[in-house]
Amino acid sequence: MGNRRVGNNSRYRDSVRSYVTRAGRMTDAQRKAVRTLLPRYGIFASTDPGEQVDVFQVFGRKAPLVLEIGFGNGEALIEMARANPEHDFIGIEVHEPGIGHLLLRIRDEGLGNIRVIHGDAVQTLSNLFQDQQFDRVCLFFPDPWPKKRHHKRRIFRPYFISLVTSKLKIGGVLHFATDWQDYAEQVLALLEREPALENTTESGFSKNRAGRPMTKFEQRGRKLGHGVWDIIMHKR
């Protein structure tokens, strides 16, 4: 199963996007960071499937590689990179204020083990990365699109799961977390249909965060009694 490739249905693939563009306030500092720091800490997406990322050249070493898709303002990514200096981290995000915020933190903390991609996750994974590239792929609190008529916009769909799975190494981990129960149940059902993935927990949901940092948003939610559901899958 390790070398299984995603079906080459280009018409469907091209219609899939991992985000819906939303406006957001961007500070002058964030705007400047995107302009001046992204060339230093960024990996630039290509539309040519033949131009894949040379991870060794990017980081200058061979190390366990972690991908976070949709890192928001980068809070969890910073915490993971700081706590695991022996790992390398790549974050994908489309929201420019969040990218600017993360770039400023990377510079201020001198973290050399994070690189940033400004772009769509589906296109990026399809074009830039080899199969079996990542030791871990994380999706923490993606937009739940709570209204039922918007559920079709949720990132977790069979094609996306197959794509992510193809980029995981054998034994690699896919870690998903959400604070919306119905989304957690939907994702669990989809992930358990993927033959190359195996749940690490018999109940379906993990009782611990398994290295996922607790964000300030999550801390506030827990104080109000809100639940969080973690799903941790291994690639067979």
Side-chain angles (χ1 to χ4, degrees):
M1 295 256 183
N3 294 320
R4 182 175 58 82
R5 290 184 175 274
V6 176
N8 189 24
N9 187 339
S10 60
R11 182 177 179 183
Y12 177 61
R13 181 182 66 238
D14 293 343
S15 71
V16 177
R17 294 291 182 272
S18 65
Y19 69 94
V20 173
T21 302
R22 289 178 169 176
R25 183 178 179 275
M26 195 169 186
T27 67
D28 290 340
Q30 291 168 349
R31 189 175 292 106
K32 183 178 179 181
V34 171
R35 187 177 70 253
T36 63
L37 297 179
L38 192 58
R40 179 179 176 184
Y41 298 111
I43 296 173
F44 294 93
S46 170
T47 57
D48 183 356
E51 295 183 17
Q52 294 182 322
V53 175
D54 184 337
V55 176
F56 180 82
Q57 185 178 44
V58 168
F59 291 101
R61 64 176 182 175
K62 186 176 182 180
L65 187 62
V66 180
L67 173 69
E68 184 177 4
I69 296 174
F71 57 74
N73 67 4
E75 183 179 350
L77 197 55
I78 288 287
E79 293 293 332
M80 292 190 294
R82 188 194 296 131
N84 301 278
E86 73 284 1
H87 287 58
D88 289 328
F89 294 82
I90 295 175
I92 301 175
E93 179 58 69
V94 71
H95 194 53
E96 285 195 337
I99 293 171
H101 184 273
L102 174 61
L103 290 168
L104 291 169
R105 292 285 303 277
I106 293 172
R107 182 200 63 188
D108 293 346
E109 299 198 26
L111 294 171
N113 61 334
I114 302 180
R115 293 295 183 271
V116 181
I117 296 175
H118 179 199
D120 174 70
V122 171
Q123 292 178 335
T124 298
L125 286 174
S126 298
N127 294 337
L128 287 190
F129 296 106
Q130 302 172 10
D131 286 355
Q132 301 191 52
Q133 183 96 67
F134 296 99
D135 295 88
R136 191 177 193 93
V137 176
C138 305
L139 290 97
F140 300 149
F141 305 100
D143 195 327
W145 293 103
K147 294 181 180 179
K148 190 171 182 180
R149 67 176 182 271
H150 292 157
H151 284 187
K152 62 184 178 181
R153 297 182 181 179
R154 290 175 169 179
I155 187 171
F156 272 88
R157 285 174 277 177
Y159 174 82
F160 178 76
I161 292 170
S162 295
L163 177 61
V164 170
T165 301
S166 73
K167 304 303 174 181
L168 275 174
K169 295 178 181 178
I170 301 299
V173 172
L174 172 58
H175 188 168
F176 165 81
T178 183
D179 55 350
W180 286 80
Q181 185 174 0
D182 79 296
Y183 195 14
E185 292 170 350
Q186 179 195 46
V187 170
L188 179 61
L190 288 170
L191 289 174
E192 289 187 337
R193 292 175 194 158
E194 169 54 57
L197 295 177
E198 181 177 19
N199 202 319
T200 62
T201 308
E202 288 186 8
S203 64
F205 300 110
S206 176
K207 294 182 179 180
N208 62 70
R209 301 194 309 276
R212 176 179 64 77
M214 183 180 290
T215 65
K216 294 176 183 177
F217 173 81
E218 182 180 353
Q219 290 172 354
R220 290 196 298 268
R222 286 186 181 274
K223 289 179 181 179
L224 295 172
H226 299 169
V228 172
W229 290 263
D230 286 86
I231 303 173
I232 302 172
M233 310 290 289
H234 281 164
K235 184 172 178 178
R236 300 179 192 274

